[in-house]
Amino acid sequence: MCKVSISAYDLMRKFPDEESARLYLEEKRWNGKPVCPKCGSIKGQHKKRRDGKAGYCFCYPCGVVYTVRTGTIFERSHVPLDKWLFAIYLVVTARKGISSLQLSKEIGVTQKTAWLMLQRIREACKDDNDKGGFLRGIVEAGETYIGGKESNKHDSRKLKAGRGIIGKIAVLGMRERGGSFRGKVLEDTTANTIHAELNALL
């Protein structure tokens, strides 16, 4: 959940239609000057209309036609931008999350469309560390053993090799305070093995 300083009512007043949402996103993304998403050029960008609609830009250096949606989670989506912004608002302010069914009812789209929107929004909200990056700051780590008790296993599955950690898998858990978590299956729990795993992610 995210703390916001704007109510749903104020949000809808600020973005009553797609045009207002488009102008807002253009200002936030380009600061008033369109940038080609393909070549990164600022010069030679010409605003144009297509099929009577505003918001299209043409890059003279590379010949690409693009909009503020290009290269974002809004690309190739027919959902109006004002609905996208309201959907993002609902996702980040929901205390216990929001389902695709509930989102579809809130913004007036099909459940399938709402599900696809949720996938894109959640992907965009991921922390860089959630994609396999290094852990930073204060990291807490500890190992544990995962596996059922021998006494609870069917007789044919019992190892009959003693009690304790026999037949269990060693797992190292590492968590960045206030951030990401990593889990790693260990071959053994010797100091050298654990140190090597820690150093690989720190």
Side-chain angles (χ1 to χ4, degrees), residues 95-131:
R95 290 187 176 183
K96 297 183 180 180
I98 184 170
S99 67
S100 59
L101 180 60
Q102 182 182 352
L103 181 62
S104 68
K105 293 178 179 179
E106 292 284 353
I107 65 175
V109 298
T110 65
Q111 184 177 0
K112 181 179 179 181
T113 297
W115 185 87
L116 292 171
M117 292 173 71
L118 280 175
Q119 299 307 304
R120 291 191 182 189
I121 293 171
R122 288 166 180 161
E123 185 66 24
C125 289
K126 277 187 178 180
D127 192 296
D128 287 339
N129 284 336
D130 292 334
K131 299 175 181 179

Side-chain angles (χ1 to χ4, degrees), residues 3-162:
K3 292 182 179 180
V4 294
S5 58
I6 185 173
S7 66
Y9 175 74
D10 291 333
L11 183 75
M12 289 186 286
R13 288 190 62 185
K14 187 174 183 178
F15 306 116
D17 51 35
E18 182 170 19
E19 180 68 8
S20 58
R22 177 182 66 80
L23 294 174
Y24 171 80
L25 290 173
E26 287 182 352
E27 180 64 28
K28 287 296 182 181
R29 184 177 185 186
W30 297 328
N31 197 25
K33 296 181 179 180
V35 180
C36 178
K38 183 177 180 180
C39 68
S41 176
I42 299 177
K43 296 181 179 180
Q45 308 305 305
H46 175 67
K47 291 186 177 181
K48 59 184 296 185
R49 300 177 71 91
R50 176 180 283 185
D51 299 328
K53 295 181 179 180
Y56 290 90
C57 297
F58 178 73
C59 176
Y60 279 104
C62 66
V64 170
V65 177
Y66 62 94
T67 70
V68 72
R69 291 176 180 253
T70 305
T72 70
I73 62 174
F74 316 121
E75 188 171 11
R76 298 186 182 279
S77 169
H78 297 293
V79 177
L81 289 173
D82 54 318
K83 289 191 176 184
W84 266 106
L85 293 182
F86 189 43
I88 294 172
Y89 174 87
L90 293 174
V91 170
V92 300
T93 57
R95 290 187 176 183
K96 297 183 180 180
I98 184 170
S99 67
S100 59
L101 180 60
Q102 182 182 352
L103 181 62
S104 68
K105 293 178 179 179
E106 292 284 353
I107 65 175
V109 298
T110 65
Q111 184 177 0
K112 181 179 179 181
T113 297
W115 185 87
L116 292 171
M117 292 173 71
L118 280 175
Q119 299 307 304
R120 291 191 182 189
I121 293 171
R122 288 166 180 161
E123 185 66 24
C125 289
K126 277 187 178 180
D127 192 296
D128 287 339
N129 284 336
D130 292 334
K131 299 175 181 179
F134 292 105
L135 297 178
R136 296 177 175 83
I138 299 175
V139 177
E140 298 169 330
E143 77 274 7
T144 187
Y145 292 89
I146 298 177
K149 292 182 178 180
E150 283 287 295
S151 60
N152 294 335
K153 295 180 181 179
H154 190 277
D155 193 60
S156 62
R157 293 182 178 275
K158 289 182 179 180
L159 298 176
K160 298 178 181 179

